[in-house]
Amino acid sequence: MDTTRNSLLENTERGLYCPAGDFYVDPRRPVKRAVITHAHSDHARWGCDHYLAAQKSEHLLRMRLASDAEIDFLPYGKTVSHHGVEITFYPAGHILGSAQVRIERDGEVAVVAGDYKLGPDATCESWEPIRCDLFVTESTFALPVYRWRDQSEIFSGINEWWKRSAEEGKCCLLYGYAVGKSQRLLAGLDPAIGPILTHGAVEKGVAAYRASGVPLPETTYVGELDRKHDFAGSMVVAVPSAHGTPWMRRFGRVTTAMASGWMMIRGTRRRRAADRGFVLSDHVDWATTLQAIELCDPQQVWVHHGYSAILARYLRSIGRDAVALDRTGPREEANDDEANGESTVESGPVTTADDSPTATEGNR
C-alpha cells in the first residue's frame, strides 16, 4: 500500500493533491486550483489559475501575488464544497492569515497544518486543534534541542538590549524576516524607548498588516529620513540580508541582533555574524509539535518541511503511524521569505541607495 496516499490526499511532484476535489494545497508549481495555507513565498507561489485562501490573508496575498490573480477568500470556520469535498480554514498561528486546511469527504477528515505555532501572538489568531484522520505537519524545528521560552521573556530581552544600547548612543538593527516575524517583533517593542524605523521590505509587510487591522506601534520608513539624520537611540527593524551591506552605513554606531529559532544553536549565531541572537520562532518547537499531534489525535501523520525522517521515526516509536514525505534535511526558517524566491524582493534593494518598498513591486 502507498503510505503517502489516502482517500483524500496524495503526495505528488507538484505538492499535496486532493484527487476528489481536484485541487492542490500549497503547490510547488503552477496548477489549475490551489488552496493556500499562508502568504509566504514557499507556500503561495504565483502562476496558478485560481487560489483559495483564508480571508485574513487577503492584504498579504494581494501584495505577494500578481494584482490580477484570481483569489477567493474564505473566513475562518466557514466551509465551501468543491466536487463534494468540503474545505474549511482554521487559524494556524504562524503569521497573519495563516491557516490549517481541513478537508472532509464522506466522513473522513484530513488537516494540512501548513506552517504553525502554538501560543499567543499579537499579530495573528492562535492555532486551534482539529480532530482528524490524517494530520500533515511541518518539522522545521522537530529536534528535542529546540524548545522555545515564553515570548514575553524574549521581548523583555530585546527591549532591555535596545534601552541599554540607546543609553550608549547606539542604533539597534534587529533582523527578522520581512513578513510575519518583523511585524511580530514590532508588536513586542516598547516605543517609549525611542523611535522605531523600518527597512523598505519590512515596510511593505507593515502596510499590509495595518490594512488588515493589526495594531502596531508607530514606525518610520528609513528611506524617508535624511542620510545625515541622527539615528542614535533608534530601533531599526530590517531583513537579515541587509546585514553587512552599504545600507547599514547611514546609521553610525550600531549594534545588531537576529531574531530566529535558529539562534538556539550557538554556531548558527556565529554564522549570522550579528552581535546578539534572540530565539523567537513562528514555528512549533519539538514539544509543541508533539502536543499538537496529541491534541489532533490522527490515525496517521505525514511529516514534511524539515526534520521529517527524524520526527516520523520518533512518532512511530511511540506507536503512531507516521510517514516522512520528504528527506531533504533541515529547513531554513528563512524559507519563509528569503530562500524561496523572495531574495530579489527582500534583499535586492539593500545593496543600493534605494530600499524603497515600491522599488521591488515587479519582482516576484
Side-chain angles (χ1 to χ4, degrees), residues 128-346:
E128 297 178 10
I130 309 164
R131 298 299 288 263
C132 53
D133 302 293
L134 170 65
F135 186 65
V136 184
T137 180
E138 61 149 311
S139 55
T140 308
F141 291 105
L143 289 179
V145 67
Y146 293 111
R147 297 177 186 269
W148 311 144
R149 291 161 51 199
D150 188 280
Q151 67 169 355
S152 63
E153 297 180 38
I154 306 302
F155 287 132
S156 292
I158 291 172
N159 284 314
E160 180 59 33
W161 165 68
W162 179 16
K163 182 179 180 181
R164 186 169 59 253
S165 300
E167 291 170 351
E168 296 172 355
K170 297 178 181 177
C171 173
C172 288
L173 269 65
L174 179 60
Y175 302 125
Y177 306 119
V179 172
K181 180 64 65 59
S182 289
Q183 291 73 38
R184 186 182 178 195
L185 289 170
L186 286 169
L189 294 177
D190 179 3
I193 298 174
I196 303 174
L197 314 177
T198 56
H199 178 277
V202 172
E203 187 62 25
K204 288 175 63 179
V206 167
Y209 269 65
R210 292 194 197 282
S212 302
V214 177
L216 295 173
E218 181 180 349
T219 60
T220 301
Y221 162 51
V222 167
E224 295 177 353
L225 301 175
D226 188 276
R227 283 183 170 271
K228 296 182 179 179
H229 179 83
D230 182 5
F231 290 95
S234 298
M235 168 67 78
V236 182
V237 179
V239 290
S241 52
H243 186 66
T245 68
W247 178 82
M248 291 179 60
R249 295 172 186 166
R250 71 189 73 188
F251 301 114
R253 294 179 64 213
V254 301
T255 179
T256 61
M258 175 72 182
S260 169
W262 298 114
M263 295 299 101
M264 179 73 74
I265 305 301
R266 192 170 301 173
T268 306
R269 297 183 198 176
R270 288 196 296 267
R271 288 196 298 275
R272 294 287 187 178
D275 298 323
R276 293 286 303 272
F278 294 104
V279 182
L280 185 72
S281 177
D282 295 321
H283 298 261
V284 278
D285 63 0
W286 174 257
T288 51
T289 300
L290 300 180
Q291 180 184 355
I293 293 168
E294 186 69 21
L295 289 170
C296 295
D297 196 23
Q299 295 178 12
Q300 187 175 54
V301 181
W302 288 358
V303 186
H304 63 166
H305 293 168
Y307 293 101
S308 308
I310 294 172
L311 177 57
R313 184 167 60 248
Y314 176 79
L315 291 173
R316 289 193 297 270
S317 77
I318 61 172
R320 290 208 174 266
D321 182 359
V323 178
L325 298 186
D326 57 56
R327 300 178 184 277
T328 55
R331 172 197 187 197
E332 280 291 325
E333 190 180 28
N335 284 0
D336 289 344
D337 276 321
E338 297 187 294
N340 272 284
E342 289 294 324
S343 58
T344 54
V345 177
E346 313 296 347

Side-chain angles (χ1 to χ4, degrees), residues 98-116:
S98 60
Q100 303 174 84
V101 183
R102 183 186 186 275
I103 303 166
E104 180 175 2
R105 180 173 183 262
D106 296 333
E108 185 170 2
V109 176
V111 171
V112 181
D115 289 343
Y116 66 107

